[in-house]
Amino acid sequence: AQTVTQSQPEMSVQEAETVTLSCTYDTSENNYYLFWYKQPPSRQMILVIRQEAYKQQNATENRFSVNFQKAAKSFSLKISDSQLGDTAMYFCAFMKGAGSYQLTFGKGTKLSVIP
Amino acid sequence: EADIYQTPRYLVIGTGKKITLECSQTMGHDKMYWYQQDPGMELHLIHYSYGVNSTEKGDLSSESTVSRIRTEHFPLTLESARPSHTSQYLCASSDSPPTIYGYTFGSGTRLTVV
């Protein structure tokens, strides 16, 4: 079974600054996918970024980027130029590459962007 | 606009009542999921379906049941609600394969059993 660990229950960052959210996972699979989801207060959870395990290049989506270290089983999310709208719960999630399409989530990190 | 809809958004109900949480999606996704999100915000998979007339239990044991008679509809039913069922329930759907776009989530139903 896969496990996903987010060791930072809460974090805060000043507006316009950069923040990094940590995520580690444990799996015996070689082919898998990793995701970061954002859940704003009382709003729909949305996909922020995804990474294929077979790709060495780190994924980027505008102000969001990841640092994927496959050997260390680490998948951190960096948010640059933080904005007030980035305030949300952030969940790291794992999906096996084939057969099972279930997402396994970490416990989440509550990020607050301070004006 | 293609989306996934959950109703009701909030529900307060008495112990012993039967409830059905509705989930519908307009994207034609074949896969649908129910997650329970506890007060600590962790999400646990309780049911999933990979197509019509196909349902499976997830990792977290739940007294709820689900049905998938139509592709777009995946309701969750509790025959007799108890205070321990108080939680937020999130419905999600995905295309094939979900490894490309992940899941699309509904806004959730926050259930309180008194």
Side-chain angles (χ1 to χ4, degrees):
Chain A
Q2 288 66 231
T3 58
V4 178
T5 302
Q6 293 179 251
S7 59
Q8 306 150 314
E10 292 192 42
M11 295 189 72
S12 61
V13 62
Q14 291 289 137
E15 195 174 5
E17 296 294 311
T18 295
V19 64
T20 298
L21 280 56
S22 301
C23 173
T24 59
Y25 58 93
D26 188 26
T27 184
S28 58
E29 302 287 331
N30 190 50
N31 182 27
Y32 53 88
Y33 297 78
L34 296 163
F35 303 82
W36 277 99
Y37 278 88
K38 170 185 177 182
Q39 187 178 36
S42 300
R43 289 178 62 189
Q44 215 164 349
M45 188 175 298
I46 58 173
L47 178 64
V48 175
I49 199 167
R50 66 182 278 276
Q51 173 81 40
E52 300 97 324
Y54 60 85
K55 285 190 176 180
Q56 291 186 331
Q57 186 173 5
N58 290 323
T60 61
E61 287 288 340
N62 301 313
R63 298 183 295 107
F64 299 88
S65 61
V66 298
N67 183 5
F68 174 51
Q69 302 289 330
K70 189 172 184 179
K73 296 181 180 176
S74 171
F75 183 60
S76 61
L77 174 70
K78 185 171 82 172
I79 306 174
S80 304
D81 185 26
S82 296
Q83 301 174 0
L84 296 179
D86 295 333
T87 293
M89 283 291 294
Y90 287 83
F91 292 92
C92 179
F94 174 102
M95 183 186 291
K96 288 198 290 188
S100 169
Y101 299 119
Q102 299 161 31
L103 271 175
T104 299
F105 287 88
K107 292 187 176 184
T109 296
K110 184 178 181 180
L111 177 67
S112 299
V113 180
I114 303 167
Chain B
E1 181 181 338
D3 210 339
I4 182 165
Y5 304 95
Q6 287 188 246
T7 56
R9 186 77 176 87
Y10 300 93
L11 178 62
V12 180
I13 200 163
T15 298
K17 299 292 186 182
K18 178 180 179 179
I19 59 171
T20 296
L21 308 184
E22 301 289 347
C23 176
S24 295
Q25 50 99 0
T26 60
M27 296 165 286
H29 288 171
D30 57 346
K31 298 174 176 57
M32 296 189 74
Y33 316 83
W34 275 103
Y35 280 81
Q36 184 173 336
Q37 187 172 27
D38 60 24
M41 303 298 281
E42 189 172 3
L43 290 94
H44 298 283
L45 180 68
I46 52 174
H47 298 284
Y48 62 97
S49 168
Y50 287 169
V52 172
N53 294 325
S54 164
T55 62
E56 300 287 344
K57 289 186 178 293
D59 299 329
L60 181 68
S61 177
S62 174
E63 293 168 345
S64 60
T65 59
V66 293
S67 63
R68 188 88 183 277
I69 299 173
R70 303 197 313 268
T71 298
E72 63 271 22
H73 195 213
F74 192 41
L76 181 146
T77 299
L78 276 166
E79 291 291 333
S80 179
R82 294 208 300 267
S84 60
H85 296 140
T86 294
S87 187
Q88 171 152 263
Y89 294 83
L90 293 178
C91 182
S93 70
S94 67
D95 208 343
S96 289
T99 51
I100 297 177
Y101 298 109
Y103 293 0
T104 301
F105 281 87
S107 297
T109 293
R110 187 168 296 279
L111 172 66
T112 302
V113 184
V114 298

